[in-house]
Amino acid sequence: MNADTLAFRTCPTTGLKVHRPAEVLIQINAVTAIVFLLVGGIMGLFMALTRWQTVHLLNEEWFYRLLTLHGIAMLVAWIIFFEMAILYFASAILLNSRLAAPWAGWVQYVLMLVGGAIVTVEVLMGRADVMFTSYVPLAASHWYYLGIILFAVGAIVGCVVFFATLMVAKHEKTYEGSVPLVTFGAAAAAIIAIITLAHGAITFVPTWLWALGLIPMMDAEVYRLLFWGFGHSSQQINVCAMVSVWYLLGTLTTGSKPINEKVSRSAFALYILFICIASEHHLLVDPGLSAAHKTWNTGYFMHLAVLASMIHAYSVPAAVEVALRKKGYTKGLFEWLKKAPWGDPAFSSLALSLVGFGFLGGISGVVYGTEQLNIISHNTLRIPGHFHATVVAGTTLAFMGVTYYVLPLIFRREVAFKGIAKWQPYVYGLSLYAFCTAMMFAGGFGVSRRQWDMTGVDAPFQVNFGPVVDLTMAVVGISGVLCVVGGAMYVLVAVGTLLVGKKINA
Amino acid sequence: MSISSPDRNWWDTPVHKEERLWIILALTWSILLTLAMPWWHVTGEQNTSQAYSKMTAVEFDKATDRFIDKYKVGEEQGTPVVAPPADSDIYLRARQFSWDPILKLKANSSYKLHLSSGDVNHGFSVFPININFEVVPGWDNLLVVTPTKAGEYTIICNEFCGIGHHTMIGKIYVES
C-alpha cells in the first residue's frame, strides 16, 4: 500500500474519494458542535422556564448569566463548529481532494475549542454578565474578550484551509469544470465569514486592550456599529451555509438537480455583495445615523439580499418538485408534494427549515428592519422571535437534517433510534413555529427581550401587561420546553448512533 | 446534482420562463419596498431621531439638573417630578437602574426630549404604547415628541444594563 491509498477511502454510497484526515476533522468539529448544542439547549430550557412568568424558575443573576451562555453556546459555538465541518466537507470531500493542510485544520479546532472553553468558564464564574452583545462600557473580564478573539481566529484559519483546499483541488485537477453548487455556496459563506471576522477583530481587540487597562474605551455607539458588523454578519454566514445545505439536502433526499446553476450562483453572489451592509438595521433607533443613511442601507441594499433569498425560495423547492415528478408523481398539481419522503428526517428538516426561515424569519426580519417599524420592535421580544425563526427553525434545523446523512457517510454508522429520528424534525420545527410566533406576538405588546421579570417586581413602579400577554408568555414557555425536547431527541439520535449505531463496512 | 460539477455550458443555460417571471416579480417587489422607505420617512408622522449630537455624561448631567431645578413640582418615590412648559427642551437621564426625572407633560403639546445615559447603554421603551429608542452614553438622542393621549405611561429599560436591569422603571404623566 502506498501513502495515497492509506490517506483515502472510497465511499460505497456516493463513490466519492474521502480524505481521512479531512474526515476526522469533520467528525471532531461536528461532535463538538453537538456538545455545545446540548449545553445551549439546557440553558434554553432554563430561559423558557424563567420567562414563563408563572414558573419563573431562576433568580435574576443566574437568568442573565445563563442567557449570556445560551447566546454564545448556540449562536457562536454550535453553529460555527458545525460550519467548519461543512466547509471541510464541501471542499475536500465534494471535490475528491485532499484537505490542504490538516495540521492547520487542527489549529482551527484547538483555537476554537480553547476560546469557547474560556468564554464558557468566564460566563459561568460570573465574570461576564454582559449578554452576547457585550456593549461597552458594560464590562466583562479581559479573559472573556480574549476567548472570543481566539475563537474568531480559529474560524478564520478554518476558512483559509477551505480556500487553500479549493486551490489544491483545482491545481491537482480532482474535478472537471466548475465546483459543485454546494461548494460554491460554502465559498460564499466563507467569504462572508472573512468579512464578519474582520469586524470581530476590530471590535474585540480594542475592547480586550481596554479591559486590560491599556487603552481608553471606544465610543459606545462606534462599538455598536462595529459589533453588528460582526454580530449580524455572522448570521449571514449561517444563511449562506444553510441555503447550501438546502441544496445538498434536496439532492440527498430526492436526487434533485439545481434548475438553473446560473440563477442560484448569482443569488449567492448577491448575498456576498449586499447582505452584510444590512447589519446596520440594529442601529435604526440609535443616535448617530441620518435617516438617508438608514433608509439607504437597510432599504435598497437589504432588499437586494432579500431578492437572493426569494430566488432560493423558488429554486430549492422547484428542484425538489422536478426530481419527484421525474419519479412519476405527476398526477395533479400536488401529487409530488404528497408523495415526498416525509418520513425521511432529512427531508422533513429541509421542508420545515425552508418554511420557518422564509415565512417566519425572513418576513419578520424585513418588516422589523424598516426605519419606522423598528421603533415598535427594537429590543422587544419581536427580535428574538425573529431570529429564533431564522437561526433555529432555519439554520439549526437544516444542520440537524444534514446530520442524518453525515452519520452514515462520514461516521459510517447506521442512524440509531430511527423512530425517534423520524419525528424529531416535526417536534423541533413545529414547536419552534409556535415559540417564535408567540414571542413576536408578545413583543408586539412591548414585552422586552433579555428581561428577567416584566412585572416591575422590586421596581418603583409596577407594569401590568394583562392576561393576553400572560397567556402568550405561557405559550412561549411551553413551546420552548417542547423545542428543548426536540433538540434532546436530536442529541439522543446523534450520540446514540455514535455509541450503538450499526457499523457500515465498506 | 448540487454535489457534482455542473455541465460545462451552465452559464449559457437559458432561465426557464416561470423562474424568470418569479425573479421579475421578486425584483419589482424589492424595488417597491425600497422606494417605500424614503416615502414613509417623508409622509410618516413617527420617525427616528434626526437631531442627535455628542454630549458627555457630565454635560448631560448638568443640563438635566438645571432642567429639574427649573421646573420641579414635587417628588415621587424619591424621584423629582417635573412639569415643563410646551415647546421646551426636556431631559430624561438613564442610569443603572433608574430613570429621572418623572415627566409631567401636556397632551397635544410638543417637547424636545433629550435622552442620554450616565453609565452604560439603556433602552427607552414606553408602556403601553410600545415606542422604543436606544439610549447611549456620550450621545444625546433628541426626539420631538407630541403626546396625544392623557394618562400614565411607564418607561421600561429594554437594553440589558446589569443584574438590576428589570428594576429600571420610570414614569411619564400626560395631562389633558
Side-chain angles (χ1 to χ4, degrees):
Chain A
M1 268 207 244
N2 58 29
D4 192 53
T5 49
L6 272 178
F8 286 93
R9 69 174 176 89
T10 304
C11 173
T13 320
T14 58
L16 287 164
K17 253 169 79 183
V18 178
H19 188 224
R20 284 182 190 272
E23 187 180 47
V24 173
L25 279 165
I26 293 169
Q27 289 171 343
I28 188 103
N29 276 294
V31 168
T32 311
I34 292 172
V35 171
F36 275 105
L37 180 74
L38 179 65
V39 172
I42 294 167
M43 301 304 129
L45 182 65
F46 284 122
M47 296 305 107
L49 290 177
T50 304
R51 292 237 52 179
W52 182 1
Q53 199 74 29
T54 320
V55 182
H56 215 43
L57 182 68
L58 297 179
N59 68 19
E60 60 264 54
E61 199 177 41
W62 278 99
F63 172 77
Y64 293 125
R65 193 161 292 162
L66 297 191
L67 180 54
T68 304
L69 189 57
H70 175 66
I72 299 277
M74 296 301 220
L75 269 178
V76 180
W78 140 253
I79 283 188
I80 297 183
F81 270 113
F82 204 92
E83 278 164 355
M84 291 298 132
I86 290 174
L87 286 184
Y88 297 149
F89 176 80
S91 55
I93 311 295
L94 288 185
L95 297 179
N96 275 307
S97 170
R98 66 185 172 88
L99 196 70
W103 64 267
W106 284 99
V107 171
Q108 165 265 312
Y109 178 74
V110 171
L111 280 176
M112 278 175 54
L113 188 67
V114 171
I118 291 176
V119 168
T120 306
V121 169
E122 288 303 294
V123 172
L124 284 177
M125 298 299 282
R127 291 192 288 256
D129 295 326
V130 290
M131 300 288 139
F132 168 69
T133 44
S134 58
Y135 295 134
V136 299
L138 198 64
S141 75
H142 62 85
W143 285 104
Y144 173 85
Y145 304 113
L146 181 67
I148 301 268
I149 292 168
L150 290 178
F151 191 94
V153 172
I156 292 179
V157 172
C159 292
V160 172
V161 172
F162 169 78
F163 285 116
T165 307
L166 294 191
M167 287 169 71
V168 164
K170 179 123 195 118
H171 183 73
E172 295 176 0
K173 296 191 173 59
T174 61
Y175 64 97
E176 298 254 318
S178 306
V179 297
L181 180 59
V182 172
T183 309
F184 188 89
I191 292 170
I192 296 174
I194 301 272
I195 300 170
T196 301
L197 296 164
H199 281 92
I202 52 176
T203 314
F204 285 106
V205 172
T207 309
W208 177 50
L209 296 176
W210 161 69
L212 283 167
L214 297 175
I215 59 168
M217 185 192 77
M218 74 167 92
D219 182 278
E221 190 59 48
V222 171
Y223 177 94
R224 282 174 59 79
L225 179 75
L226 295 177
F227 175 83
W228 285 114
F230 163 79
H232 206 94
S233 304
S234 63
Q235 308 321 312
Q236 321 295 14
I237 312 172
N238 304 339
V239 171
C240 226
M242 171 193 70
V243 174
S244 307
V245 167
W246 283 351
Y247 284 109
L248 176 63
L249 286 172
T251 294
L252 292 173
T253 56
T254 66
S256 73
K257 186 174 171 302
I259 44 176
N260 192 301
E261 293 272 355
K262 176 168 60 180
V263 170
S264 297
R265 286 171 200 238
S266 302
F268 276 120
L270 283 177
Y271 278 153
I272 299 173
L273 291 173
F274 297 109
I275 209 163
C276 290
I277 307 170
S279 304
E280 266 189 359
H281 65 248
H282 285 270
L283 276 57
L284 282 174
V285 296
D286 280 36
L289 298 176
S290 71
H293 186 104
K294 287 171 184 171
T295 47
W296 180 249
N297 249 304
T298 61
Y300 183 66
F301 282 126
M302 186 171 80
H303 296 147
L304 282 178
V306 171
L307 175 66
S309 289
M310 295 289 277
I311 290 172
H312 295 304
Y314 177 93
S315 62
V316 173
V320 168
E321 176 176 353
V322 169
L324 290 170
R325 279 179 184 277
K326 269 194 189 141
K327 289 186 178 169
Y329 305 133
T330 51
K331 217 163 40 176
L333 275 178
F334 296 113
E335 198 201 8
W336 66 274
L337 198 60
K338 247 167 53 194
K339 296 276 171 66
W342 294 106
D344 177 350
F347 183 82
S348 54
S349 295
L350 166 63
L352 289 161
S353 163
L354 206 115
V355 171
F357 180 86
F359 285 89
L360 285 172
I363 291 176
S364 63
V366 175
V367 171
Y368 304 159
T370 307
E371 189 202 359
Q372 290 80 9
L373 297 178
N374 194 255
I375 300 173
I376 56 171
S377 318
H378 181 74
N379 276 354
T380 68
L381 272 184
R382 277 182 165 158
I383 305 306
H386 151 73
F387 71 70
H388 280 81
T390 54
V391 180
V392 193
T395 309
T396 296
L397 194 51
F399 288 2
M400 286 174 168
V402 83
T403 309
Y404 296 114
Y405 278 84
V406 169
L407 289 171
L409 294 178
I410 299 292
F411 288 90
R412 282 182 279 167
R413 281 176 188 271
E414 271 181 29
V415 173
F417 312 132
K418 285 227 169 65
I420 296 175
K422 191 176 155 182
W423 288 104
Q424 185 272 327
Y426 294 101
V427 175
Y428 195 65
L430 295 177
S431 56
L432 269 164
Y433 288 5
F435 179 73
C436 297
T437 310
M439 271 222 243
M440 289 190 239
F441 193 74
F445 286 90
V447 180
S448 299
R449 66 188 291 199
R450 297 173 162 181
Q451 198 182 30
W452 171 67
D453 177 90
M454 60 181 202
T455 63
V457 66
D458 305 331
F461 306 104
Q462 269 58 59
V463 183
N464 183 9
F465 279 97
V468 174
V469 172
D470 290 340
L471 180 68
T472 312
M473 293 309 287
V475 175
V476 169
I478 294 165
S479 54
V481 171
L482 285 174
C483 293
V484 176
V485 171
M489 287 163 75
Y490 167 76
V491 175
L492 181 70
V493 172
V495 175
T497 303
L498 296 185
L499 296 179
V500 300
K502 208 175 127 205
K503 278 192 181 161
I504 300 169
N505 293 315
Chain B
M1 300 284 227
S2 58
I3 56 171
S4 48
S5 294
D7 298 336
R8 283 276 181 187
N9 64 340
W10 63 268
W11 185 258
D12 301 320
T13 313
V15 181
H16 194 272
K17 68 174 194 303
E18 282 164 12
E19 188 172 27
R20 189 178 306 142
L21 178 67
W22 172 261
I23 295 170
I24 290 169
L25 282 175
L27 180 62
T28 310
W29 184 238
S30 298
I31 292 169
L32 284 176
L33 275 179
T34 300
L35 296 176
M37 303 248 320
W39 186 62
W40 285 330
H41 184 83
V42 173
T43 60
E45 293 182 349
Q46 187 167 289
N47 277 310
T48 61
S49 170
Q50 297 312 309
Y52 47 81
S53 59
K54 294 203 78 163
M55 196 185 224
T56 64
V58 177
E59 286 167 352
F60 192 84
D61 259 349
K62 274 190 196 149
T64 312
D65 289 339
R66 266 200 309 270
F67 165 69
I68 293 172
D69 287 345
K70 206 164 164 189
Y71 301 118
K72 185 171 165 181
V73 292
E75 217 166 87
E76 203 181 316
Q77 309 253 26
T79 307
V81 181
V82 174
D87 295 315
S88 60
D89 282 273
I90 62 175
Y91 292 82
L92 185 63
R93 175 167 48 197
R95 271 187 303 208
Q96 284 169 330
F97 301 101
S98 68
W99 297 98
D100 85 306
I102 292 168
L103 297 168
K104 205 172 233 182
L105 308 177
K106 283 251 179 301
N108 302 313
S109 302
S110 290
Y111 302 87
K112 284 181 238 127
L113 171 62
H114 297 262
L115 286 169
S116 192
S117 160
D119 40 47
V120 300
N121 288 14
H122 297 283
F124 173 78
S125 177
V126 184
F127 175 81
I129 52 173
N130 190 20
I131 295 288
N132 306 279
F133 284 93
E134 189 76 18
V135 184
V136 184
W139 289 82
D140 175 8
N141 203 352
L142 175 58
L143 301 165
V144 177
V145 295
T146 312
T148 50
K149 211 173 147 195
E152 271 186 51
Y153 297 86
T154 315
I155 311 166
I156 301 169
C157 178
N158 71 1
E159 184 66 82
F160 177 73
C161 58
I163 298 296
H165 164 56
H166 50 275
T167 64
M168 185 168 165
I169 293 178
K171 198 118 214 170
I172 297 176
Y173 293 106
V174 177
E175 295 169 330
S176 53

